Each structure stands twice: as structure tokens, then as C-alpha cells.
């Protein structure tokens, strides 16, 4: 049971841990995916921005070439080609554009510039320009102007009548192109270069962290950090095959550089952004994500801990219910067993298990009420609490039974201690109980076999206690010894045999005649049960009736006797014999269940015999146990017509006053009264009781009359009937029938 509980707990903890791991795993996977996605996203943004920059650049340059083409058309209009007019016009145009200078180149290589200079173009530059005479627009690579500035030149053809008559050219400084690119991106942290596919710089950047005074980006990268070599190679390779992509490089810190083909010459636009910028956005989002994940995990863990705690609390409460006796608030029996086991294992002194039972506790409950009954239970518990030594264990076991585990050095000490407890309880008179003496019945089991479970030790102590329980006057302490066990086994086998015996009709009814005291005529009989053994002998009722009373079997036996008597009476009536009333014993067990009344009535009715032919004997102890119920049952039996006999009068707790309140028809004086006949005091008592009964119209029958003297004496006192060996012993039905 305990192991099962542990397993369940372990399983739950394991499941919670697994769930936690799964949750953390899922969170990690999610955050990792998110991180990758964010990274890709940032890099894509970088390439997108780069592409946008390319667009902006191209649009601007296209606008410039378009403007130039317009100017070219304008200067071609006059019929006479006038250089002076043309340069004048160009100077006017210059004011509207951001060109550094403009000029016109004639097919003979002569060039007229807006600053008034006239130069002859030849060699490489002249070759480079030839395409324009074929109608193309050409943009030069970076070159050094006459004044040492880095410039770029745009050249467009001047057409007249389908013929290129000159080249219109305009130069811009690289700075002015650079300005176009200085559109801030990534919050002003990104910047651009324009380079040729072999890395040569077209325009550089003025951004503080950019490479300064460089002529080739590849050289700049490899010079900045040796670790950039591979990235550099990749970029070179990509640009050679005209592919757009990005690299990561180091120049102090790490940067991303994306490269996109511009579509002018072999130019590439490079967009640079520090890795930290991209990562900071990513890190920010990731930090929030991790925070969120942590919060979720913490909440999850908190919820699980909460549930585990609630569960634990519930278990503790359950344990409380299990471990605390609700009445005394002391140890429950379960707790007692647990603690006693541990104590027995750890303490090797002589130990004894003591069971204490309160005699007639039921009566206390009935006389004083259950609430007071509970108070008595708590009070006795407190007496025991004060009596035990600090390291001994005690509890109320159930109802009015207490268990203790005590230790002792000598037999004498054990006996003295237990008797002192009995005395303590007996001597205690609570004012409320007005002198009612609480009598304990105590059973002791000296622990011989420590391996034995505590319950069995208790059972042994209980066996000893049960032996003496109910001895009104005898000893109130008993020790368990093995012979008890034999008795119990014997009783157990008797119990088993009894049940079979009833089926096998081993039980028979004997009749003991009753005689009229005056006429000495047969006036009635008592039915007494006998158990016939296989060898023809009989087991007397005192051996099996007490056992049958404990297990309730007596109800069946009584019914069996009653039915038998009814049948016998019916037969006698049918046979025309003399028929006298026969009394049948009614065990006190019937008082706990009045259902028998109907059964008995039906048994008589079914055989159609006069109701006065069967009488019922009850004992006074039965009445004492439950007076109200007793009265109501007698009342109902009377209503049916049964005569009620009070059996064994004088042995129980009855008082003469009680006679007044109980509606009985016959009083059977117990044999002990009859035996007292030659004692003067006894004589007076018997005479007094008989007189009292007579005065209340109660018939008196003397039981156990054995001698002539006893008979004469009882007759003299006015007893109505005599039952005893003097006249006849109980006899089998056949013999009684003969007598009739
Ligand atoms: P009881 O009802 O008081 O029955 C009278 C007992 O006294 C009988 O004992 C009877 O044999 C005995 N007796 C009668 N005259 C004399 C005498 O002169 N001298 C002596 N020494 N004894 C005499 P028995 O049959 O052994 O029954 C004992 C008790 O067993 C009965 O006492 C009754 O309480 C119980 N009992 C017997 N049969 C039944 C039964 O069918 N149902 C129940 N519930 N109890 C029964
Ligand atoms: Mg009787
Ligand atoms: Mg009797």
C-alpha cells in the first residue's frame, strides 16, 4: 500500500519533470527557429536595402543622362555649328545642374569645356569615347580631373540629321554621387560603396567606421583582418560571376557587407552594416522571447508545485484523519500500531501489550447519554495518559477499548502497574455519575515474539481480556497464555460444528415439567435445548449457548426450539393428549432486533394452537441492557397474547422496585434463592420477594428445587409452581409425552 503510494508519487514527479523538459525543449526549439528567422530576415532586409539603393542610384544617373540628352538636342538645333554659342549655352545649363563641368568633343578630338579650356583628346580616352559616336551613352569609371578631383564623366551623342556631330560630356565628382548614396539606413548605422567587379573603388564612404583612402575593397578587407580572406574570396568569385550576395567581415568589430550589381559598367553597390546592429534587434526580440519562455516555464513549475502541495496537504489531512482519534484527539489505533511497531523494533526491554475495556459501557451511554459517554471515554484516556511512562504508547482503539504498549523489568512490576491502573479507574467517581463505578477489564500480552505484528499482539491481549469480561465480581486483570488460544480454537470448531449441527438435526428439545405447588399436578414445562453427539451423549447448553450468543447463532437455535415446541403442542392436541403450557427461552440477542416477534406470531398462528400453550422466558440482564426497547418488545408480545416469564430472577441487576415497572406474568426464582432457604436472612428475602410478586399478581415459580425440604418451604411461602429435579429432570420429548 505504502509502496504503491510511493510509486504513484514518483510517477507524478517523473511526469512533471518530463513535461518540464519537454516544455523547455519546445521553447528552445522555438527560440532557435525564431532566432534563425530573425537573422535571415535582417540579412534579407540588408539585401533589400542594397537593391533599393541601386534603384535610387540608377534613377538619378538615368535622370542625368536624360537631361544631358535633352541639352544635346538643344545645342544641335541652330543651323550653323557655333562652338562659342554652344559653350555659352552649356554654361547657362550648368547653373541648373550639379555637374562639375561640361564640354563638347568634336569628331576631330577637339574638346571645348565650360571653363573656357580647349583640349585635344587622344589615346586611351579617345578610344573609350568612340562608342558615343556610334550613338551610345557612356559613363566613365573613376578618373582624376585636371584639378586632381576624382570625377566621373557621362557622355551622350549630339545628333543632327541622323549623324553624330559631337559628344556632349558632363563630369561629376565622386563625392556628389556618394551623396546620393548617403541615404541613411538601419537607423543611420549602414553605409555604402560603389566598386568595380575587380574591387576598385568608384565611390567611397565618409561614414566614420568606413575604410578611408582605399583604392580596392578587396585589399582593404584583407588588410583589415587576415580572417576576412575567405569572405573576400567568396565575394570576388560572386562578383566575377555577377551574383549578388553578402559576406561577414571583421574590421575591429564584425560587419555584414552585401553586394548588388548596379547595371552600370561593372559596378557593384556594397552596403555595410555592423553585425551588432542586426543582432541587437535580434537579441532584443530574443531576450523578450527568452523572458517570455522563462515566465511560462516558471508559471508552469509554480502550477505543478502548487498541485503537488495541494496533493500533499490533502494527504496530510487524510493522515490526520487516519492518525488522530476523533474523540480523544490522541493517537488513533493505526497510529498506535505504527508507533508501537517502531518502538518494539528499537527498544529491547520487556514489553507488554495491554488492552483495557470498560465493563457495561453501553449502560453508561444509555443512562447518561452519548455525549457524557464520550466525556467518560476522554476522561479514561486522560487517566491512562497520566499513568503511562513518557516513552510508552497508548491509544483508544475503538468504542470503549484502549490499547497500550508498556515496558517492565520484572513480572511483579508489570502486575503492580496494571493493577494500579485498574484501581485508578475503579476508584474514580465523577460527580456526575453519582457513584457509578467504572470497572475495567484488562488483558495483558507479554511480548515474547517481537516479530509478531502489533495487531496480533492486541488480539492476544483481547483474548485474555474477553476471558474475564463480564465477571461482575471476579478479577479484572488477565494474562494471555497459549491455552487461551486452544479454547478459542475449540470454540471456533464448536461454532463451525454448530451451524452444520442445526442442518443435520443434531439439536433436540428436552422438556422439564413444572408442577402445581399445592396439588402437585403437572402444570407446565420448560423447553431446554440439547445437542446430541454422535456417541449418543449430549453437550449441555452452558457449553454452546454463550458462543451462540456471541455469534448470533442463538437466534436460529431459539427459533428452532420454538418451532419444535409449537409442532409438538399441535401434535399433542391432535392426538387428544393432555396439553400444558410450555415455556421457551428467549435469548437477550432478540432485543437488538424485534423482527422475531412477527416470526413467532406466525409460527403459532400457522399451527392454529392456542397462544397460551407457548410461553416466553426472558432474563433480567436483557432488560437492564436496553430498558426502553425491552419494554416495547414485552408490550408487543403481550398484545399477541404471549405470557412472559422472568427467568433467573435474583441473579442480575434487578431490584425489587424494578418489578413494579416491568409487566411480567411469571417470576422464576433462581436456584440460588432456593438454595438459601435454610438461612434466616435468605428466607426473609425470598418471602419478601414472593409477597411483593403476589401483591402485583405475578405468579411465582421456584426453579432448581431438589429436595422435599425445599419444596415444602417454597410451598409454604406461596410459590405457585415448582420446577426442579425433586419432581423431574429435563427429559426427551417421548418421555414427557408419556408423562402427559
Ligand atoms: P434456565 O432457562 O434457567 O433453565 C433451567 C436450567 O436449570 C436447566 O439447565 C435445567 O436443567 C436446570 N435445572 C432445573 N432444575 C434443576 C435442579 O433441581 N437442580 C439443578 N442443578 N439444575 C436444575 P440447562 O438445561 O442446562 O440449561 C441451562 C441454561 O441454558 C438455561 O437456564 C437457559 O438459560 C439456557 N438454555 C437452555 N435452552 C435454551 C434455549 O433453547 N435457548 C436459550 N436462549 N437458552 C437456553
Ligand atoms: Mg429458562
Ligand atoms: Mg432459569
Amino acid at each position: 500500500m505504502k509502496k504503491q503510494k510511493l510509486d504513484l508519487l514518483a510517477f507524478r514527479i517523473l511526469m512533471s519533470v518530463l513535461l518540464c523538459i519537454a516544455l523547455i525543449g519546445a521553447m528552445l526549439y522555438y527560440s532557435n527557429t525564431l532566432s534563425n528567422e530573425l537573422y535571415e530576415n535582417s540579412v534579407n532586409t540588408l539585401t533589400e536595402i542594397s537593391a533599393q539603393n541601386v534603384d535610387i542610384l540608377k534613377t538619378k544617373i538615368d535622370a542625368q543622362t536624360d537631361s544631358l540628352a535633352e541639352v544635346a538636342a538643344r545645342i544641335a538645333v541652330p543651323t550653323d555649328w557655333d562652338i562659342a554659342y554652344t559653350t555659352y549655352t552649356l554654361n547657362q545649363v550648368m547653373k541648373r545642374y550639379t555637374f562639375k563641368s561640361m564640354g563638347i568633343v568634336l569628331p576631330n578630338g577637339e574638346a571645348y569645356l565650360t571653363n573656357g579650356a580647349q583640349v585635344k583628346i587622344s589615346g586611351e580616352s579617345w578610344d573609350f569615347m568612340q562608342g558615343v559616336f556610334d550613338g551610345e551613352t557612356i559613363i566613365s569609371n573613376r578618373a582624376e580631373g585636371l584639378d586632381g578631383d576624382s570625377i566621373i564623366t557621362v557622355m551622350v551623342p549630339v545628333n543632327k540629321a541622323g549623324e553624330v556631330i559631337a559628344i556632349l560630356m558632363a563630369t561629376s565628382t565622386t563625392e556628389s554621387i556618394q551623396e546620393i548614396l548617403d541615404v541613411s539606413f538601419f537607423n543611420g548605422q549602414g553605409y555604402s560603396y560603389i566598386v568595380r567587379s575587380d574591387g576598385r573603388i568608384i565611390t567611397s564612404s565618409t561614414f566614420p567606421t568606413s575604410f578611408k583612402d582605399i583604392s580596392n575593397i578587396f585589399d582593404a578587407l584583407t588588410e583589415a583582418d587576415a580572417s576576412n580572406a575567405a569572405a573576400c574570396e567568396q565575394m570576388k568569385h560572386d562578383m566575377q560571376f555577377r551574383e549578388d550576395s553578402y559576406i561577414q567581415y571583421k574590421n575591429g568589430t564584425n560587419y555584414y557587407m552585401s553586394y548588388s550589381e548596379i547595371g552600370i559598367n561593372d559596378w557593384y553597390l556594397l552596403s555595410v552594416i555592423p553585425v551588432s546592429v542586426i543582432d541587437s534587434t535580434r537579441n532584443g526580440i530574443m531576450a523578450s522571447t527568452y523572458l517570455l519562455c522563462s515566465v511560462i516555464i516558471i508559471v508552469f513549475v509554480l502550477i505543478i508545485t502548487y498541485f503537488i502541495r495541494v496533493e500533499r496537504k490533502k494527504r496530510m489531512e487524510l493522515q490526520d484523519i487516519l492518525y488522530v482519534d476523533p474523540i480523544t484527539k490522541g493517537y488513533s489505533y493505526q497510529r498506535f500500531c505504527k508507533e508501537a511497531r517502531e518502538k518494539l523494533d528499537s527498544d529491547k526491554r520487556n514489553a507488554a501489550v495491554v488492552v483495557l475495556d470498560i465493563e457495561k459501557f453501553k449502560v453508561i451511554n444509555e443512562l447518561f447519554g452519548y455525549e457524557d459517554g464520550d466525556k467518560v471515554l476522554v476522561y479514561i484516556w486522560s487517566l491512562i495518559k497520566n499513568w503511562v511512562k513518557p516513552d510508552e504508547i497508548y491509544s483508544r482503539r475503538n468504542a470503549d477499548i484502549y490499547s497500550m504498549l508498556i515496558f517492565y523489568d520484572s513480572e511483579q512490576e508489570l502486575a503492580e502497574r496494571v493493577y494500579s491502573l485498574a484501581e485508578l479507574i475503579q476508584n474514580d467517581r465523577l460527580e456526575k455519575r453519582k457513584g457509578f463505578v467504572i470497572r475495567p477489564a484488562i488483558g495483558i500480552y507479554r511480548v515474547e515474539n517481537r516479530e509478531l505484528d502489533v495487531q496480533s499482539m492486541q488480539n492476544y491481549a483481547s483474548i485474555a481480556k474477553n476471558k474475564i469480561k463480564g465477571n461482575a465480581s471476579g478479577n479484572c486483570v488477565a494474562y494471555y497464555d497459549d491455552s487461551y488460544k486452544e479454547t478459542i480454537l475449540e470454540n471456533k470448531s464448536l461454532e463451525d460444528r454448530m451451524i452444520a449441527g442445526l442442518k443435520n438435526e443434531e439439536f433436540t428439545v428436552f422438556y422439564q415439567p413444572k408442577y402445581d405447588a399445592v396439588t402437585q399436578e403437572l402444570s407446565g414445562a420448560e423447553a431446554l435445548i440439547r445437542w446430541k453427539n454422535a456417541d449418543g451423549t449430549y453437550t449441555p447448553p452452558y457449553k454452546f449457548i454463550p458462543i451462540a450468543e456471541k455469534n448470533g447463532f442463538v437466534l436460529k437455535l431459539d427459533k428452532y426450539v420454538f418451532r419444535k415446541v409449537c409442532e409438538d403442542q399441535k401434535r399433542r392436541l391432535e392426538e387428544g393428549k393432555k396439553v400444558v403450557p410450555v415455556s421457551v427461552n428467549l435469548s437477550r440477542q432478540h432485543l437488538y432486533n424485534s423482527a422475531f416477534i412477527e416470526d413467532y406470531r406466525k409460527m403459532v398462528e400457522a399451527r392454529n394452537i392456542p397462544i397460551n400453550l407457548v410461553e416466553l422466558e426472558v432474563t433480567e440482564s436483557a432488560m437492564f441492557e436496553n430498558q426502553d426497547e425491552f419494554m416495547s418488545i414485552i408490550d408487543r408480545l403481550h398484545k399477541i397474547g404471549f405470557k412472559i416469564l422472568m427467568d433467573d430472577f435474583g441473579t442480575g441487576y434487578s431490584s425489587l422496585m424494578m418489578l413494579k415497572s416491568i409487566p411480567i406474568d411469571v417470576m422464576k426464582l433462581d436456584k440460588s434463592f432456593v438454595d438459601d432457604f435454610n438461612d434466616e436472612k435468605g428466607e426473609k428475602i425470598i418471602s419478601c420477594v414472593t409477597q411483593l410478586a403476589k401483591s402485583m399478581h405475578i405468579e411465582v415459580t421456584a426453579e432448581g428445587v431438589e429436595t422435599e425440604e425445599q419444596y415444602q418451604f417454597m410451598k409454604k411461602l406461596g410459590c405457585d409452581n415448582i420446577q426442579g429435579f425433586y419432581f423431574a429432570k429435563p427429559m426427551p420429548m417421548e418421555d414427557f409425552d408419556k408423562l402427559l
Side-chain angles (χ1 to χ4, degrees):
M1 168 85 180
K2 202 175 166 188
K3 189 165 183 310
Q4 234 174 33
K5 246 190 201 168
L6 255 175
D7 284 352
L8 193 69
L9 186 73
F11 175 74
R12 282 185 186 166
I13 291 179
L14 185 75
M15 283 314 284
S16 308
V17 169
L18 285 181
L19 242 135
C20 237
I21 291 175
L23 189 69
I24 292 173
M27 297 281 181
L28 282 179
Y29 174 77
Y30 167 74
S31 47
N32 195 41
T33 319
L34 184 71
S35 167
N36 287 343
E37 221 143 84
L38 282 172
Y39 170 77
E40 298 247 316
N41 212 30
S42 303
V43 172
N44 284 346
T45 314
L46 181 68
T47 11
E48 261 167 40
I49 287 174
S50 189
Q52 273 171 26
N53 284 349
V54 167
D55 279 349
I56 294 169
L57 189 70
K58 284 238 342 188
T59 319
K60 290 260 174 169
I61 291 176
D62 283 351
Q64 275 192 2
T65 48
D66 287 353
S67 308
L68 275 185
E70 255 174 54
V71 175
R74 255 192 20 228
I75 55 174
V77 170
T79 36
D80 297 321
W81 181 246
D82 181 352
I83 296 292
Y85 169 75
T86 302
T87 46
Y88 168 79
T89 309
L90 290 183
N91 265 315
Q92 294 305 308
V93 170
M94 274 266 293
K95 285 175 190 159
R96 280 195 278 132
Y97 294 95
T98 54
F99 300 124
K100 182 175 160 65
S101 69
M102 293 181 85
I104 192 122
V105 184
L106 300 180
N108 59 7
E110 275 172 17
Y112 300 90
L113 305 181
T114 40
N115 57 6
Q118 187 183 340
V119 286
K120 176 90 180 162
I121 296 173
S122 61
E124 218 175 283
S125 302
W126 179 244
D127 292 344
F128 183 73
M129 285 180 182
Q130 289 315 302
V132 186
F133 286 110
D134 295 336
E136 286 174 38
T137 295
I138 288 180
I139 298 171
S140 76
N141 286 315
R142 182 188 171 121
E144 204 168 292
L146 294 172
D147 52 2
D149 273 359
S150 300
I151 51 163
I152 301 242
T153 310
V154 182
M155 289 160 276
V156 296
V158 180
N159 294 303
K160 191 165 190 172
E163 209 184 313
V164 179
I165 56 163
I167 294 173
L168 175 64
M169 60 178 200
T171 61
S172 305
T173 56
T174 51
E175 280 90 11
S176 71
I177 295 177
Q178 186 64 44
E179 271 162 27
I180 303 170
L181 294 175
D182 278 350
V183 202
S184 80
F185 60 99
F186 271 113
N187 290 331
Q189 310 240 35
Y191 56 90
S192 310
Y193 302 95
I194 296 172
V195 297
R196 297 188 60 183
S197 60
D198 57 5
R200 271 183 290 169
I201 296 289
I202 301 291
T203 71
S204 190
S205 171
T206 54
F207 202 82
T209 56
S210 66
F211 293 117
K212 299 279 157 26
D213 300 325
I214 52 160
S215 55
N216 189 301
I217 191 71
F218 297 137
D219 298 344
L221 283 172
T222 37
E223 266 162 41
D225 204 298
S227 64
N228 297 335
C232 206
E233 277 314 307
Q234 190 209 322
M235 185 166 146
K236 250 186 214 170
H237 175 271
D238 285 347
M239 277 161 57
Q240 198 182 334
F241 289 94
R242 325 201 75 166
E243 270 171 26
D244 295 357
S245 187
Y246 69 90
I247 56 158
Q248 192 181 329
Y249 72 91
K250 201 169 172 188
N251 178 23
T253 62
N254 291 319
Y255 295 88
Y256 289 116
M257 178 183 275
S258 85
Y259 37 93
S260 315
E261 204 187 351
I262 296 175
I264 299 169
N265 303 333
D266 60 346
W267 295 1
Y268 270 86
L269 180 78
L270 310 183
S271 302
V272 177
I273 181 83
V275 168
S276 62
V277 172
I278 286 189
D279 282 358
S280 80
T281 326
R282 186 160 61 126
N283 289 346
I285 294 176
M286 285 321 293
S288 321
T289 309
Y290 286 134
L291 187 74
L292 190 72
C293 288
S294 309
V295 168
I296 291 175
I297 288 169
I298 287 171
V299 167
F300 180 75
V301 169
L302 283 179
I303 289 174
I304 284 187
T305 348
Y306 171 77
F307 279 115
I308 288 178
R309 273 181 166 223
V310 167
E311 177 91 334
R312 238 182 54 186
K313 203 176 149 210
K314 255 197 236 158
R315 235 200 337 262
M316 299 283 260
E317 277 168 7
L318 214 78
Q319 234 171 35
D320 258 13
I321 294 171
L322 226 70
Y323 279 178
V324 177
D325 171 34
I327 291 187
T328 63
K329 307 285 178 244
Y331 282 4
S332 67
Y333 180 56
Q334 278 88 342
R335 181 82 190 268
F336 171 83
C337 289
K338 185 177 166 280
E339 301 276 327
R341 178 74 270 157
E342 284 167 13
K343 187 77 188 153
L344 281 169
D345 290 343
S346 63
D347 195 327
K348 294 300 169 199
R349 286 177 296 164
N350 290 334
V353 171
V354 178
V355 166
L356 185 147
D357 191 346
I358 310 294
E359 296 274 12
K360 302 247 174 284
F361 187 75
K362 212 163 168 262
V363 177
I364 297 184
N365 266 342
E366 269 154 26
L367 288 183
F368 307 109
Y370 282 91
E371 214 171 289
D372 257 19
D374 281 358
K375 279 187 194 153
V376 175
L377 289 177
V378 176
Y379 187 72
I380 291 169
W381 177 82
S382 71
L383 289 179
I384 294 173
K385 183 182 169 185
N386 290 333
W387 173 82
V388 292
K389 291 183 180 160
D391 57 350
E392 295 175 339
I393 299 160
Y394 60 99
S395 83
R396 187 180 74 97
R397 179 170 147 179
N398 66 312
D400 56 341
I401 300 173
Y402 300 82
S403 300
M404 290 148 256
L405 173 72
I406 62 170
F407 295 92
Y408 63 98
D409 289 326
S410 66
E411 283 296 326
Q412 197 189 340
E413 186 206 337
L414 176 65
E416 276 172 9
R417 281 196 67 195
V418 175
Y419 275 101
S420 79
L421 175 65
E423 217 166 283
L424 190 72
I425 291 172
Q426 277 182 68
N427 287 347
D428 179 74
R429 278 156 208 253
L430 287 181
E431 209 197 319
K432 188 114 184 263
R433 286 188 283 283
K434 303 210 169 68
F436 191 95
V437 178
I438 298 175
R439 258 181 59 83
I442 303 178
I444 305 170
Y445 169 71
R446 302 182 194 86
V447 179
E448 284 152 11
N449 174 9
R450 276 187 131 79
E451 305 301 307
L452 204 66
D453 61 297
V454 177
Q455 264 102 333
S456 301
M457 295 178 186
Q458 302 256 348
N459 289 344
Y460 288 147
S462 289
I463 289 169
K465 177 218 57 176
N466 287 340
K467 265 281 186 197
I468 48 158
K469 197 185 171 189
N471 292 357
S473 54
N475 190 359
C476 64
V477 176
Y479 289 86
Y480 173 84
D481 74 64
D482 286 339
S483 66
Y484 285 175
K485 212 170 175 177
E486 280 159 29
T487 320
I488 285 170
L489 289 175
E490 232 170 68
N491 287 351
K492 180 79 185 94
S493 96
L494 207 65
E495 213 174 308
D496 297 341
R497 283 195 287 125
M498 225 186 285
I499 296 164
L502 190 64
K503 267 193 207 147
N504 302 339
E505 299 190 333
E506 288 167 20
F507 289 96
T508 57
V509 175
F510 271 38
Y511 289 90
Q512 186 178 28
K514 297 172 193 168
Y515 289 89
D516 186 299
V518 182
T519 63
Q520 294 198 17
E521 270 178 37
L522 184 66
S523 58
E526 177 176 5
L528 294 160
I529 194 156
R530 294 290 180 270
W531 189 358
K532 197 173 184 175
N533 298 314
D535 59 3
T537 59
Y538 291 98
T539 305
Y542 77 86
K543 278 210 171 161
F544 62 88
I545 289 287
I547 299 168
E549 270 184 342
K550 270 188 191 156
N551 65 15
F553 188 66
V554 74
L555 301 177
K556 285 194 176 144
L557 282 183
D558 280 2
K559 201 168 164 184
Y560 171 78
V561 173
F562 188 84
R563 181 187 293 118
K564 183 75 173 58
V565 167
C566 289
E567 278 165 5
D568 283 352
Q569 294 289 60
K570 185 188 175 204
R571 183 181 44 76
R572 284 171 197 134
L573 283 172
E574 284 168 358
E575 287 170 0
K577 286 205 172 85
K578 178 186 174 179
V579 184
V580 290
V582 175
S583 60
V584 179
N585 289 290
L586 197 62
S587 158
R588 58 179 170 191
Q589 288 291 323
H590 289 286
L591 293 182
Y592 301 122
N593 185 2
S594 56
F596 80 95
I597 300 176
E598 263 307 287
D599 287 353
Y600 276 35
R601 187 183 62 80
K602 281 182 192 156
M603 277 193 272
V604 177
E605 264 180 24
R607 286 163 189 87
N608 206 16
I609 45 174
I611 194 80
N612 68 320
L613 289 187
V614 269
E615 302 171 338
L616 294 170
E617 292 194 11
V618 295
T619 57
E620 41 175 1
S621 59
M623 175 206 65
F624 193 74
E625 274 174 21
N626 194 344
Q627 203 167 351
D628 294 342
E629 183 72 9
F630 183 82
M631 295 294 213
S632 112
I633 286 178
I634 299 288
D635 204 42
R636 287 172 63 190
L637 291 171
H638 266 154
K639 280 194 180 131
I640 296 169
F642 285 116
K643 220 176 187 182
I644 306 297
L645 288 67
M646 173 65 79
D647 202 356
D648 304 338
F649 185 85
T651 52
Y653 295 83
S654 54
S655 73
L656 290 178
M657 295 316 287
M658 272 184 185
L659 264 185
K660 272 168 106 182
S661 51
I662 318 163
I664 56 161
D665 306 294
V666 179
M667 181 172 89
K668 290 183 81 180
L669 276 184
D670 190 68
K671 186 177 184 317
S672 56
F673 266 119
V674 178
D675 289 343
D676 277 350
F677 84 102
N678 44 12
D679 160 21
E680 202 186 319
K681 210 172 161 191
E683 206 172 290
K684 272 190 182 146
I685 295 173
I686 304 168
S687 127
C688 196
V689 169
T690 326
Q691 290 313 309
L692 192 76
K694 299 242 95 182
S695 76
M696 287 187 287
H697 309 290
I698 296 173
E699 273 178 49
V700 179
T701 300
E703 265 192 300
V705 174
E706 291 180 342
T707 63
E708 167 74 22
E709 288 89 346
Q710 285 175 339
Y711 162 60
Q712 289 305 340
F713 177 70
M714 292 295 153
K715 186 176 148 190
K716 192 181 85 191
L717 285 182
C719 283
D720 303 285
N721 291 292
I722 307 291
Q723 180 185 350
F725 293 175
Y726 174 65
F727 284 103
K729 286 190 170 181
M731 58 187 77
M733 180 263 289
E734 295 79 13
D735 295 354
F736 181 65
D737 276 7
K738 274 181 207 152
L739 202 70
L740 285 171

